[in-house]
Amino acid sequence: QVQLLESGGGTVQPGGSLTLSCTGFGYLWNYCMGWFRVAPGRERERVAGMDIGGSTIYGDSVKGRFTVSKDNAQNTLYLQMNDLRFGDSGMYYCAVDEGRSYGCTMDARRFDYWGRGTQVTVSV
C-alpha cells in the first residue's frame, strides 16, 4: 500500500517561514512529485513539483518564495516556504505522478497517490 505522510504544518505570522516534509516508499522517488494546496472556498492549487532529474516547477503565486527539494536517501520531499502570506493558508498535500518521471506538469488529475495533508495557517 502506497503511503505518503506530510508533516511540518502549523501557524505562522505573515512574513514567517515553514518547512513541510513528505515521506514515502522509496520507489516513489522515481517519479514526479509535487505539492498542492486547498483552501476553503478555493480550488486546488499547484504549489511546486520536482522530477527525478531535479527540475522544478512552481505555481505563479509562490515563485521566489517557496523552494521544493528532496533527499532520496531519506525518501523525503521538502517544501521550504518563506515570506508567508495570508493567501498561503490551506491544507498542503504531497502527491506522486506515477506516469511521469521528467517534466512534471503539475496537473493534479495526473497524480496517482496523495497524502492526507498538513495544515498551514498564516495569521497575526
Side-chain angles (χ1 to χ4, degrees):
Q1 183 177 0
V2 174
Q3 287 187 327
L4 297 169
L5 180 63
E6 303 96 335
S7 63
T11 300
V12 63
Q13 293 184 343
S17 298
L18 281 175
T19 300
L20 306 184
S21 300
C22 171
T23 58
F25 293 116
Y27 89 97
L28 294 175
W29 312 102
N30 295 324
Y31 306 105
C32 281
M33 299 194 68
W35 291 95
F36 296 83
R37 67 186 182 192
V38 179
R42 295 166 57 184
E43 294 184 356
R44 181 168 49 191
E45 179 184 7
R46 72 178 190 181
V47 177
M50 175 176 274
D51 69 15
I52 65 171
S55 294
T56 57
I57 183 172
Y58 294 94
D60 290 340
S61 64
V62 306
K63 285 179 181 177
R65 300 186 298 121
F66 290 13
T67 302
V68 61
S69 62
K70 64 180 178 178
D71 184 335
N72 288 334
Q74 298 295 325
N75 295 338
T76 303
L77 183 75
Y78 299 99
L79 183 68
Q80 173 67 43
M81 306 185 294
N82 298 325
D83 188 23
L84 283 161
R85 305 168 181 171
F86 293 122
D88 295 319
S89 295
M91 186 69 79
Y92 283 68
Y93 297 91
C94 172
V96 175
D97 177 358
E98 201 174 27
R100 185 177 291 266
S101 297
Y102 293 96
C104 302
T105 66
M106 292 305 291
D107 180 347
R109 296 168 297 179
R110 296 185 57 89
F111 282 71
D112 308 283
Y113 303 108
W114 296 77
R116 294 188 176 183
T118 185
Q119 178 68 38
V120 172
T121 302
V122 183
S123 177
V124 298

